Amino acid sequence: MGDVRLAGVVGAGVMGSGIAQAFAVAGLPVILTSRSDEGLQRAMTIISGSMDRLIKKEKMTEAEKAEALARISTTRDLSSVAGCDIVIEAVSEDEPLKVEYFRQLDVLVGVEAILASNTSSLSITQLAAATRHTQRVIGLHFFNPVPMMDLVEVVRGVRTDDSVAAAAENVVLRLGKVPVRAANRPGFVVNRLLCPMINEAVFALGEGLASAAEIDEAMRLGANHPIGPLALCDLIGLDVQLAIMKRLFERFGEAKYRPAPLLLELVEAGYLGRKTGRGFFVYD
């Protein structure tokens, strides 16, 4: 695998916009794609706002912001990523949707390019099976908010080539982040440990053990967590949390991974956390 000169990001949600920002700030041109103009406009607003916060913290200048924004191209045309050296899929955590994107990308992108998924729970081997060139598929799991979080889990599928894994880790390092290798198991490292803890907090809330604010305060003060589990779930997205728990429960078949009923009920109600203005807490 050669040097990465141009990156592509498929999906312009919170994660996709954050990944695009990371590439742009690192000095790499990036093409951000979405199915809608509205999604692309919202992504650029998110990126601009994120950079403004960095400027306020004196971690970026106005000139650096302008230069980084100029490195981001937006388009609804998926074929625009054809010339990219790496393409990172960051669409919703929906297996059929991701599989379909990998089928399309496998045809569009050159055989020497890396195809990566930002999936938080799906099998990289299974996603790779949708392609003709399974050896170039890898997982690069970024964490929200991408501009602030240093970790990227690097997940190899059964057929991922050594050169692809090495090149992917180099990309992570160029972004100023820390690659941690994880086996292709449900939830990888962080979500395998974190999501059951969040799920247990939802069980506790549903059982009336304490209020949402009290549960979070107890974990912040008693476990020295910077953010409580329920507020963290709101940040991650209740739908994402539910999808991960369902995946863990399906793959391991153990009761400890059973999604909390209250989590399912809130997702059914459309209360998905910060992105909808309401989850376990209410947001402006």
Side-chain angles (χ1 to χ4, degrees):
M1 292 291 164
D3 189 33
V4 171
R5 298 174 301 276
L6 177 63
V9 177
V10 179
V14 172
M15 294 305 296
S17 60
I19 295 169
Q21 178 179 335
F23 274 98
V25 170
L28 290 164
V30 57
I31 299 172
L32 179 61
T33 74
S34 175
R35 289 178 171 177
S36 72
D37 290 328
E38 179 184 1
L40 292 169
Q41 291 169 2
R42 183 168 58 249
M44 293 308 296
T45 299
I46 291 172
I47 292 170
S48 179
S50 174
M51 291 182 180
D52 285 339
R53 287 189 290 276
L54 292 174
I55 291 171
K56 287 182 180 179
K57 295 178 181 178
E58 298 184 345
K59 294 182 178 181
M60 175 179 277
T61 66
E62 289 285 357
E64 289 170 337
K65 174 186 175 181
E67 291 171 359
L69 289 176
R71 296 187 188 105
I72 304 174
S73 302
T74 61
T75 179
R76 290 174 54 193
D77 182 8
L78 186 64
S79 65
S80 296
V81 303
C84 291
D85 303 300
I86 182 171
V87 178
I88 301 176
E89 166 274 311
V91 301
S92 301
E93 193 72 355
D94 177 274
E95 185 176 328
L97 180 63
K98 288 181 181 290
V99 165
E100 179 54 34
Y101 268 111
F102 269 89
R103 285 194 183 115
Q104 294 181 52
L105 291 170
D106 187 53
V107 176
L108 289 172
V109 181
V111 295
E112 292 299 313
I114 298 170
L115 293 184
S117 176
N118 184 55
T119 181
S120 56
S121 63
L122 299 177
S123 167
I124 299 303
T125 299
Q126 194 167 355
L127 294 177
T131 73
R132 299 167 301 168
H133 308 286
T134 56
Q135 77 284 351
R136 49 109 166 242
V137 178
I138 196 165
L140 289 180
H141 181 212
F142 291 78
F143 288 79
N144 185 31
V146 176
M148 304 303 295
M149 300 294 280
D150 291 333
L151 175 64
V152 178
E153 291 178 322
V154 180
V155 187
R156 296 178 60 160
V158 169
R159 296 187 177 182
T160 304
D161 192 82
D162 289 344
S163 65
V164 171
E169 288 188 18
N170 284 335
V171 169
V172 172
L173 291 170
R174 286 183 67 184
L175 298 182
K177 300 192 179 296
V178 179
V180 170
R181 299 172 188 174
N184 186 42
R185 301 291 184 271
F188 313 134
V189 175
V190 173
N191 285 334
R192 169 77 176 271
L193 302 177
L194 177 66
C195 289
M197 185 269 287
I198 293 174
N199 194 55
E200 191 62 30
V202 183
F203 267 117
L205 178 63
E207 294 166 5
L209 180 64
S211 69
E214 289 167 334
I215 289 171
D216 274 13
E217 184 174 26
M219 290 303 292
R220 287 198 308 273
L221 300 180
N224 201 29
H225 289 186
I227 183 173
L230 298 176
L232 179 57
C233 190
D234 279 352
L235 179 62
I236 294 170
L238 275 69
D239 53 336
V240 176
Q241 166 72 13
L242 178 60
I244 294 170
M245 292 310 302
K246 284 182 174 179
R247 189 73 175 177
L248 291 172
F249 187 48
E250 171 192 318
R251 287 302 180 97
F252 291 113
E254 298 180 21
K256 66 180 180 180
Y257 296 119
R258 179 173 65 90
L262 178 59
L263 177 64
L264 177 60
E265 186 174 20
L266 291 176
V267 171
E268 289 176 340
Y271 298 156
L272 307 183
R274 285 183 175 272
K275 58 189 171 186
T276 60
R278 181 170 179 177
F280 295 106
F281 300 97
V282 178
Y283 304 89
D284 292 333

